Amino acid sequence: MPQIHLDEETLERLDGLREEGEEYDEIVTELINIYEAEELTLFHGGDEL
């Protein structure tokens, strides 16, 4: 798994999103999945005329 380095501000923002006991990698994976789902929704939304 790739490693990333986060600055202090980003860690503080992630702390605000985390649920009890949730690891940083879990929340980042969840955010990536949400981003990808939104991207697919926007992409396919423009296909309908």
Side-chain angles (χ1 to χ4, degrees), residues 11-36:
L11 289 175
E12 290 174 8
R13 293 177 70 187
L14 288 174
D15 284 338
L17 296 172
R18 288 182 1 179
E19 295 179 5
E20 187 176 322
E22 191 172 28
E23 299 291 331
Y24 287 120
D25 60 336
E26 294 171 315
I27 188 75
V28 170
T29 299
E30 184 176 343
L31 291 170
I32 290 169
N33 290 339
I34 291 168
Y35 174 79
E36 289 175 344

